[in-house]
Amino acid sequence: MLAVMMIPSQIAGIGLVTILYSIGFVNNYWVIIIPAIASPATFFFMKQYIQSVLPYEIIEAARVDGSSEFRTFNQIVLPIIKPALSVQFIFAFVASWNNLFIPSLIIQDGNKRTLPIIIAQLGVSDPKNFDQGARFMLMFLAIIPTVIIYLIFSKYIIKGTTAGSVKG
């Protein structure tokens, strides 16, 4: 897992782009979102978080009490790992939202360009006619969804951080 994490995303992206073109899965936003969710760093973080926070005895006790695996996961494991899922969702969203490399290789349709591609295209215009205001306004607009996602999911991070810190 650590060896896969050491491979730069640009190198791994070559294989991903080759596969996506061979199966004809281009000009699609899902090919930008899914790799960020299923990244080795996300898997490694979740594995380490679950090992450090979730005692296996709780799962064994639920099994002994007759709980199904689905119910055990939904009612015991999921509430415990919500902070880690929130952090990873924020990281995956920011990685997908700010990604320039993969979308510039996969998105061919001009109507489906992402904001980083549009911002990069504004930077290659003639310096004499270059309008910094439009570029900075697009950068500001690109930040807004990231802030909204953080505000939505930060409550789960705070709840998870403070859950075991207060004695009653």
Side-chain angles (χ1 to χ4, degrees):
M1 183 62 65
L2 292 175
V4 171
M5 288 174 58
M6 291 182 203
I7 298 172
S9 61
Q10 291 82 5
I11 301 297
I14 294 170
L16 175 67
V17 170
T18 305
I19 291 169
L20 291 173
Y21 270 98
S22 67
I23 62 174
F25 204 56
V26 292
N27 283 329
N28 194 336
Y29 292 125
W30 289 108
V31 298
I32 302 168
I33 297 168
I34 299 297
I37 294 171
S39 72
T42 302
F43 180 79
F44 183 72
F45 177 81
M46 291 303 296
K47 176 189 170 296
Q48 293 300 109
Y49 185 83
I50 289 171
Q51 281 182 341
S52 67
V53 171
L54 183 67
Y56 190 69
E57 290 80 18
I58 294 175
I59 297 172
E60 286 179 344
R63 287 180 182 153
V64 168
D65 289 341
S67 177
S68 67
E69 294 295 321
F70 187 73
R71 183 175 183 201
T72 302
F73 180 78
N74 283 332
Q75 292 186 345
I76 296 172
V77 177
L78 195 58
I80 292 174
I81 65 170
K82 261 188 191 175
L85 289 173
S86 299
V87 167
Q88 290 307 309
F89 182 82
I90 292 169
F91 286 168
F93 179 80
V94 170
S96 295
W97 188 256
N98 292 332
N99 196 356
L100 174 67
F101 181 67
I102 297 294
S104 64
L105 297 175
I106 293 174
I107 304 295
Q108 302 297 324
D109 188 10
N111 295 331
K112 292 187 177 181
R113 290 181 294 187
T114 60
L115 275 176
I117 294 173
I118 295 170
I119 292 170
Q121 288 176 345
L122 282 177
V124 296
S125 60
D126 184 23
K128 294 177 184 174
N129 300 327
F130 185 61
D131 182 18
Q132 286 285 54
R135 189 170 191 194
F136 287 136
M137 190 62 192
L138 275 176
M139 287 180 192
F140 173 74
L141 291 175
I143 291 171
I144 292 173
T146 306
V147 172
I148 291 170
I149 291 294
Y150 174 75
L151 291 174
I152 290 170
F153 286 96
S154 66
K155 65 182 175 185
Y156 297 111
I157 298 169
I158 293 168
K159 281 181 188 176
T161 306
T162 59
S165 64
V166 179
K167 277 191 162 181

